[in-house]
Amino acid sequence: MQDEKINLKTIVAQFVRLTQWAGPFTSIIVTLLAGLAILSISRLALVTWQWDRVHATGIPVTVLLQGVRADLILIGYFLAIPLLLAPVFAYRTFARFWKIVSVSWGTIALVFILFMELSSPQFIMQYDVRPNRLFVEYLAYPQEVFSTLWNGFRTALIAGVSLTIGLGLAIFYLLKHATDGAQMWPARKLLLVWPILCVVVFMQIRSTTGHRPANPALFALTGDSMVNSLIINSGWSVLDAVNSMRREAVSSEIYGAFPAEQVFPEVKAADWLRHYSFTNPKLPTLHFQQAAVKRDRPLNLVIVLEESLGATFVESLGGLPVTPELEKLKKEGWWFEQLYATGTRSIRGIEAVVAGFPPTPARSVVKLSLAQKDFYTLAEGLGQQGYHTEFVYGGEAHFDNMRSFFTGNGFKRVVDIREMRPAFIGSWGASDEDLFDKSLERLADLHAQGKPFFSLIFTTSNHEPFEFPDGKIALHDPAKQTVNNAVKYADYALGKFMAEAKKQAYWKDTVFLIVADHDNRVYGNSLVPIKKFHIPGLILGADIKPQRISTIASQIDLGPTLLSLMGVSSTHPMIGRDFAKDNTTPGRALIQFNNYFAWLEGPSTTILRPGQPPLLGRYDALTGELHIDTKTAEKAQIDKAMAHVIMPSLLYREQRYRLPKQPYE
């Protein structure tokens, strides 16, 4: 053991001697070498772990070599700050101060790099990609996130934090030991070498002699988005996400130029929109929709938004047999066989289902400042027709900014865990049974008031760490806290809720929508794993006759369809399809996956990529496989995709996705 300690000290001492020639730039050199070592070892470990998928791309060596290039870019950003300060402080006069600053900054940089790499495996297991903007967005909710990590990933959390602290101390020791023996240079030598180093680091960050500097899109070399993310590093991925979030209002422009005057005509050319009149130039998608079903009194609406309930868990949609209650219910209403989520987050599902708003590379409008009021939702529209509107959630409604968005856009009441007396509370709030019990109570109260109502119910039980009451279901997996068991419990609770709702007087006057916000995990060896966007959707209640909708549908189609079935004729800006008028002609789906946008129309898939030409793919719905075509996508398909991804950004930025503020507007 003593020999091992001596050898380790000898190695460190030799490394220190090899770097001290750099004088005042010693900490910069050590930071560079240590950073490359950490990132290269991490990437090699990740590639080994995901070897089957990396090997399938045919470029494992390129992944490692291009990875070093990406690592140099990230480290270059950290080196730039002490390098720019060097002419001011890297002198004998400030020697002590300079060493403190350079060592501290180098330690911070390397600990950040180390922490992000240690966080990567667990994030990849969940999202099938390196840490990205989701990593940053969830930091806004420390209580929920820490509870999830502690209850579901305790071992990984403790190990990651312990390793970060331990290796962080080792990094500090290495940097301090290296700079202690380094000598300051005379001013003439410093000012002679400094410009050369500036040019080197500048080129290191730029990483190309092309017109534009390198960015993460440059490293998208394969058709597997997870492998592409392995090429870059987690630190750069997160920092780039933070930067893109700052520019998110115009984020759709990352796919290239497209004439603004062509956007709305292209969108309105859809078969289901052609017969509408768009007469308000200030609100370009606003139109009057005549309900397909005429009713003396419009029906109530209840939307049950199921957390993470993808087709993965529905046997008749090619998934596991863990939703028997939903399988029974599907025989009683409109069952969507090819319904696709617009994104991978709950708030993305909310904006699509509740507002009919298409996805963009930016954050969901639920969290964006310009959408916190005067932004169309079903609640806003129905509220103007005399409906009572409310949102019922088992957790804390402030999460993901839902309370602010809902109360600012038509929801007259928000009910969350603070108004419940739950028998079981998990990391994310009340169990689904408790949530549905409260919902039944609320629906009875709303019915007693005699006004039509719209209630949005959002579940939580199917969320990591998958906590639910004991003794409720026969477990699908031996270990209790698994996603399959959580889904089965959520399905059990849903079945109880629907059985009780059918007994109530309001059943014959109410349309129910059961739909997922997104799948549990979105992964796969495709550039866009379309199969993992496939979700169940069911409309039932009142006089809805059983029917199977086999054509492709998007979450944004649900709003117009519901209004039509309810007998609500109204003016709104939603561009979705009314399936009550036509459910047989071909449809389309809009899918946002990280920075990729996919336009799915039949088997044809057009994929927009930031800074790169669009790709054409063929999607096989039976196998769930996406095959990238070698030929370029047709201009007509590219134009459709571009128009539909740019349009929501324009509407949001110009605040034109709303109802008229005055009757004459």
Side-chain angles (χ1 to χ4, degrees), residues 18-40:
L18 287 172
T19 57
Q20 286 181 338
W21 58 267
F25 301 109
T26 297
S27 65
I28 292 178
I29 299 299
V30 174
T31 300
L32 172 65
L33 297 176
L36 284 175
I38 292 169
L39 292 169
S40 295

Side-chain angles (χ1 to χ4, degrees), residues 212 252-260 262-263 611 614 638-639 642-643 646:
R212 296 179 180 276
S252 291
E253 280 80 343
I254 64 175
Y255 299 124
F258 190 77
Q262 191 177 334
V263 170
I638 294 174
D639 286 351
M642 287 292 292
I646 288 177

Side-chain angles (χ1 to χ4, degrees), residues 107-118:
T107 302
I108 291 171
L110 291 174
V111 167
F112 170 76
I113 290 171
L114 179 66
F115 175 75
M116 293 309 308
E117 293 304 308
L118 289 174

Side-chain angles (χ1 to χ4, degrees), residues 19-127:
T19 57
Q20 286 181 338
W21 58 267
F25 301 109
T26 297
S27 65
I28 292 178
I29 299 299
V30 174
T31 300
L32 172 65
L33 297 176
L36 284 175
I38 292 169
L39 292 169
S40 295
I41 292 171
S42 174
R43 182 175 295 101
L44 185 60
L46 293 174
V47 166
T48 302
W49 174 40
Q50 298 288 345
W51 176 249
D52 289 344
R53 288 174 64 175
V54 174
H55 184 261
T57 65
I59 58 168
V61 175
T62 303
V63 169
L64 297 174
L65 293 178
Q66 287 295 318
V68 174
R69 180 184 176 190
D71 297 343
L72 286 169
I73 294 172
L74 172 68
I75 298 170
Y77 283 122
F78 285 113
L79 300 185
I81 292 178
L83 187 61
L84 293 174
L85 293 174
V88 180
F89 297 110
Y91 298 101
R92 291 188 178 93
T93 307
F94 304 104
R96 183 176 176 81
F97 174 76
W98 174 248
K99 289 179 180 179
I100 292 173
V101 170
S102 60
V103 169
S104 299
W105 180 252
T107 302
I108 291 171
L110 291 174
V111 167
F112 170 76
I113 290 171
L114 179 66
F115 175 75
M116 293 309 308
E117 293 304 308
L118 289 174
S119 302
S120 299
Q122 197 65 57
F123 197 90
I124 291 172
M125 287 173 65
Q126 179 65 25
Y127 297 104

Side-chain angles (χ1 to χ4, degrees), residues 402-538:
M402 292 187 294
R403 179 183 289 275
S404 175
F405 178 78
F406 286 144
T407 56
N409 293 302
F411 283 86
K412 295 170 183 170
R413 182 171 180 181
V414 172
V415 179
D416 65 5
I417 192 172
R418 292 177 295 181
E419 295 187 45
M420 299 180 189
R421 295 182 297 277
F424 180 91
I425 300 178
S427 298
W428 289 87
S431 72
D432 283 3
E433 284 179 278
D434 292 311
L435 166 69
F436 285 133
D437 285 345
K438 185 64 178 181
S439 298
L440 288 168
E441 176 188 313
R442 292 297 313 140
L443 293 176
D445 288 346
L446 294 175
H447 175 67
Q449 294 175 22
K451 293 175 60 177
F453 57 82
F454 164 39
S455 181
L456 171 65
I457 304 168
F458 187 19
T459 70
T460 60
S461 287
N462 183 29
H463 198 300
E464 286 178 298
F466 307 122
E467 300 161 296
F468 57 90
D470 293 327
K472 299 293 184 176
I473 58 169
L475 299 180
H476 181 273
D477 299 331
K480 181 192 174 191
Q481 285 184 230
T482 68
V483 62
N484 294 331
N485 288 333
V487 169
K488 194 171 183 181
Y489 168 73
D491 177 72
Y492 160 79
L494 174 66
K496 280 184 61 180
F497 168 69
M498 295 304 298
E500 190 61 34
K502 290 176 185 177
K503 301 175 184 177
Q504 306 306 314
Y506 53 75
W507 175 262
K508 61 180 176 30
D509 300 317
T510 305
V511 170
F512 287 77
L513 167 67
I514 302 169
V515 66
D517 54 357
H518 56 83
D519 203 340
N520 170 253
R521 288 182 56 215
V522 178
Y523 59 88
N525 58 357
S526 299
L527 200 61
V528 178
I530 296 174
K531 180 180 180 180
K532 299 299 292 182
F533 287 81
H534 189 194
I535 59 173
L538 173 65

Side-chain angles (χ1 to χ4, degrees), residues 571-592:
T571 298
H572 62 73
M574 295 186 289
I575 63 163
R577 175 180 182 176
D578 178 2
F579 275 90
K581 292 181 178 175
D582 176 15
N583 57 36
T584 57
T585 56
R588 54 81 192 97
L590 297 75
I591 295 172
Q592 188 72 47

